[in-house]
Amino acid sequence: MSEKKLDFAKEIARLDEIVEEVSSKALPLDESLKLYEEGVKIIKELELALKEAEQKVEKIVAIEDK
């Protein structure tokens, strides 16, 4: 994950905004593409954060199982 702390709830909210905006409006193609690109970036960041959290949990469980 990047140096900045990811605000998971804020990023999910932004992703919801993007979906709502794209699905509720007839946007120009370039604007739709920018929003799509932003959404993909957010999804990748969230997936990475979830993967890192999962690895931490697995380590904790492994320690507790010993």
Side-chain angles (χ1 to χ4, degrees), residues 20-27 31-32:
E20 180 67 28
E21 191 169 348
V22 170
S23 62
S24 68
K25 298 178 182 176
L27 299 172
E31 189 173 344
S32 293

Side-chain angles (χ1 to χ4, degrees), residues 8-55:
F8 203 87
K10 181 180 173 185
E11 294 299 323
I12 291 288
R14 177 60 186 142
L15 195 54
D16 284 340
E17 290 173 4
I18 291 170
V19 169
E20 180 67 28
E21 191 169 348
V22 170
S23 62
S24 68
K25 298 178 182 176
L27 299 172
L29 180 59
D30 62 330
E31 189 173 344
S32 293
L33 289 173
K34 282 183 184 180
L35 288 170
Y36 177 79
E37 183 177 19
E38 181 183 354
V40 168
K41 181 181 176 206
I42 290 170
I43 289 168
K44 286 181 181 181
E45 290 174 351
L46 294 175
E47 285 177 341
L48 180 60
L50 286 173
K51 184 172 278 199
E52 289 176 355
E54 181 180 23
Q55 290 171 350

Side-chain angles (χ1 to χ4, degrees), residues 1-14:
M1 194 166 64
S2 64
E3 293 294 318
K4 67 177 183 163
K5 184 169 170 84
L6 182 68
D7 185 339
F8 203 87
K10 181 180 173 185
E11 294 299 323
I12 291 288
R14 177 60 186 142

